[in-house]
Amino acid sequence: RMFPTTGDSMLPVPEGSDVVARYVQDWKTLKPDSLCIVILKGERDFVFKQVTLQRDGTVLLRSLNKNYAPYTVGVEEVLEIWQYVKHQTDKLPQARTDLQEIRQLLLDVKKRVEKI
């Protein structure tokens, strides 16, 4: 099945990409941080995240873009999980600029300082 992406939480997979995914029958077979489409109950519809099933009955959802904080949802909120196979896009990847690298370094330092 193919899912359209929105937003920048999964960069470097660009917004507007189409993610091809395979249905996961047994969620216990997923390795931690597996890239997946998670179909949720309620308003959020579906999300594309790194997925880790936790022992406490929750699902940890983490973005590839480190500017977004991970969050958890209860397994009862999950309708289906589809594991990432590949994606396609009509956008060419942009070369990283020095300014982007400096910004990322500053964000990393900020996170480290906040932990202290």
Side-chain angles (χ1 to χ4, degrees):
R1 185 171 170 189
M2 191 178 301
F3 299 87
T5 62
T6 58
D8 65 349
S9 70
M10 290 303 282
L11 286 174
V13 177
E15 179 176 10
S17 296
D18 293 318
V19 171
V20 178
R22 161 179 45 250
Y23 180 72
V24 178
Q25 184 73 39
D26 181 6
W27 300 354
K28 294 175 196 159
T29 63
L30 286 174
K31 294 181 180 176
D33 288 328
S34 294
L35 289 175
C36 296
I37 298 288
V38 181
I39 300 178
L40 299 164
K41 294 179 183 175
E43 300 172 14
R44 283 186 267 178
D45 196 17
F46 69 88
V47 294
F48 177 39
K49 300 290 178 199
Q50 289 179 286
V51 173
T52 301
L53 298 174
Q54 301 189 108
R55 293 181 186 184
D56 66 358
T58 61
V59 180
L60 176 64
L61 302 173
R62 187 185 337 254
S63 299
L64 288 176
N65 184 340
K66 301 303 180 199
N67 293 325
Y68 291 85
Y71 61 96
T72 58
V73 296
V75 290
E76 69 278 357
E77 294 299 314
V78 177
L79 294 174
E80 297 176 1
I81 297 179
W82 295 72
Q83 190 165 15
Y84 172 90
V85 174
K86 63 182 175 178
H87 71 277
Q88 61 185 27
T89 183
D90 59 358
K91 297 177 185 168
L92 290 173
Q94 293 182 358
R96 243 181 118 104
T97 65
D98 289 340
L99 186 58
Q100 288 172 317
E101 289 183 29
I102 291 169
R103 180 181 183 274
Q104 188 59 49
L105 286 172
L106 288 173
L107 288 171
D108 292 343
V109 168
K110 179 183 174 190
K111 285 181 185 176
R112 289 181 191 157
V113 168
E114 288 173 349
K115 289 181 181 178
I116 296 176

